[in-house]
């Protein structure tokens, strides 16, 4: 359902941003010799007792650059975040829907608060927690199916507001050798999230029937909490897959010592 898209798309962006958060923190590191990393990134050594303080300070200092995107670090523009297409299908529980969302535009990411950012090098563990006061998503949608036994059909413009979204992500890495250097890859991702409210508007439901469309939009907004729980496993899996792919791409490009070197060898 559209709400599923909402939360999911949000999580996509949220995790992208989490990935972003994790990326700069590690990318702060400069390798021995000539660095291939952007010159504005600060060095944070993985064997330093102030690693986490350094990571948080560096992340906050490059926040404007994160919003504009850092192509060399595989970080897209975040404000607004543009997603060409999102496909969502679910046929279990109370939801049976097939939907596609195109030209997805997500605004409000820049207003985030960094709650926590920690790195545990001995466990190759990375933890990021963020809160987004409000996210606005707009897209062109096409949807068909049933939700709680009620038919849902439509295509057109949709708008979704998410309020007070907090997400914590834990990533667990593993070392491997590539071209004589040690690299990292993500082997496990854990995601927990909460939000206080969702409001959506799907235009042109039921071939433009305004009365039916209004009733369905009202129904979705009144029952967003139960709908969110129905799709939570699906949303979490999508986020995990997206985050893993995003971070692994960066880890494959830069070695561990480039991203987060040791100060004392």
């Amino acid at each position: 359902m559209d709400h599923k898209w909402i939360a999911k798309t949000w999580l996509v962006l949220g995790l992208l941003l989490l990935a972003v958060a994790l990326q700069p923190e590690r990318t702060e590191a400069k390798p021995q010799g000539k660095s291939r990393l952007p010159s504005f990134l600060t060095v944070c050594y993985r064997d330093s007792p102030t690693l986490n303080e350094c990571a948080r300070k560096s992340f906050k200092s490059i926040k404007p650059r994160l919003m504009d995107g850092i192509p060399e670090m595989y970080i897209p523009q975040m404000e607004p975040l543009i997603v060409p297409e999102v496909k969502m299908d679910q046929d279990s529980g109370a939801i049976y829907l097939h939907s596609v969302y195109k030209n997805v535009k997500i605004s409000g990411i820049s207003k985030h608060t960094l709650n926590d950012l920690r790195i545990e090098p001995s466990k190759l563990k990375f933890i990021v927690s963020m809160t987004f006061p409000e996210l606005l998503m707009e897209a062109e949608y096409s949807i068909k199916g049933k939700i709680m036994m009620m038919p849902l059909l439509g295509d057109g413009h949709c708008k979704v507001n998410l309020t007070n979204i907090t997400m914590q992500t834990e990533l667990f890495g593993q070392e491997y050798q590539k071209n004589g250097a040690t690299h990292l890859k993500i082997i496990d991702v854990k995601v927990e999230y909460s939000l206080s409210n969702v409001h959506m508007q799907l235009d042109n439901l039921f071939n433009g029937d305004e009365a039916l469309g209004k009733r369905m939009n009202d129904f979705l907004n009144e029952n967003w909490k139960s709908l969110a729980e129905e799709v939570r496993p699906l949303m979490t899996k999508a986020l995990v897959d997206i985050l893993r792919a995003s971070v692994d791409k960066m880890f494959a490009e830069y070695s561990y010592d480039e991203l987060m070197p040791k100060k004392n060898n």
Side-chain angles (χ1 to χ4, degrees):
M1 129 113 256
D2 179 74
H3 174 276
K4 139 178 95 173
W5 163 69
I6 314 169
K8 205 163 180 184
T9 305
W10 141 53
L11 287 175
V12 168
L13 76 87
L15 278 181
L16 278 174
L17 187 45
L18 297 183
V20 166
L22 292 175
Q23 291 169 8
E25 62 183 52
R26 292 166 245 161
T27 60
E28 303 156 346
K30 281 190 178 181
Q32 312 253 338
K34 186 177 180 180
S35 173
R36 298 185 299 133
L37 298 173
S39 60
F40 55 81
L41 294 177
T42 304
V43 178
C44 287
Y45 298 98
R46 65 179 184 262
D47 56 351
S48 169
T50 60
L51 169 62
N52 291 321
E53 290 84 348
C54 178
R56 287 190 286 269
K57 182 177 180 180
S58 179
F59 173 72
K60 291 177 181 178
S61 71
I62 64 172
K63 180 177 176 179
R65 292 181 182 272
L66 292 177
M67 295 305 104
D68 292 336
I70 306 176
E72 56 267 56
M73 299 306 300
Y74 300 98
I75 299 173
Q77 176 180 320
M78 288 285 166
E79 191 64 80
L81 176 65
I82 306 297
V83 182
E85 183 176 276
V86 177
K87 292 184 178 180
M88 301 281 297
D89 294 309
Q90 180 163 330
D91 56 5
S92 62
I95 296 177
Y96 178 84
L97 289 172
H98 298 283
S99 56
V100 178
Y101 307 87
K102 295 185 177 181
N103 301 318
V104 182
K105 179 181 178 181
I106 306 167
S107 304
I109 300 176
S110 61
K111 301 291 195 300
H112 73 268
T113 297
L114 179 65
N115 304 320
D116 192 16
L117 193 167
R118 284 178 286 132
I119 308 170
E120 299 180 21
S122 63
K123 299 179 181 179
L124 294 179
K125 181 178 179 180
F126 308 89
I127 303 168
V128 178
S129 173
M130 288 185 173
T131 295
F132 304 88
E134 182 178 33
L135 293 176
L136 171 63
M137 285 170 276
E138 296 187 68
E140 299 303 314
Y141 81 97
S142 174
I143 192 167
K144 182 179 181 180
K146 292 183 179 181
I147 179 167
M148 295 183 177
M149 303 306 292
M150 297 176 63
L152 182 58
L153 174 68
D155 62 86
H157 187 75
C158 64
K159 183 182 293 186
V160 181
N161 283 82
L162 302 169
T163 306
N164 293 330
I165 307 143
T166 294
M167 188 186 324
Q168 176 165 306
T169 300
E170 297 181 7
L171 297 95
F172 299 84
Q174 183 178 70
E175 295 181 354
Y176 72 97
Q177 297 299 307
K178 175 183 175 183
N179 298 327
T182 299
H183 284 253
L184 296 180
K185 64 180 177 180
I186 298 301
I187 58 172
D188 192 18
V189 181
K190 296 181 180 179
V191 178
E192 293 183 0
Y193 67 89
S194 64
L195 65 167
S196 63
N197 192 42
V198 175
H199 185 274
M200 68 194 79
Q201 174 64 39
L202 304 181
D203 294 341
N204 198 46
L205 284 171
F206 306 109
N207 298 315
D209 188 313
E210 293 186 8
L212 285 177
K214 183 180 185 306
R215 283 201 290 272
M216 177 53 74
N217 275 302
D218 289 344
F219 173 80
L220 297 177
N221 287 313
E222 290 168 2
N223 293 277
W224 72 266
K225 285 187 178 180
S226 57
L227 297 176
E229 288 308 309
E230 285 285 340
V231 301
R232 184 178 287 269
L234 184 63
M235 290 188 292
T236 300
K237 181 182 184 303
L239 290 168
V240 166
D241 292 343
I242 290 167
L243 182 55
R244 176 178 283 143
S246 175
V247 177
D248 272 342
K249 192 176 294 185
M250 183 193 64
F251 281 170
E253 177 68 21
Y254 298 97
S255 72
Y256 190 18
D257 283 331
E258 285 180 293
L259 293 172
M260 200 166 59
K262 285 186 176 181
K263 186 173 184 179
N264 303 306
N265 290 314

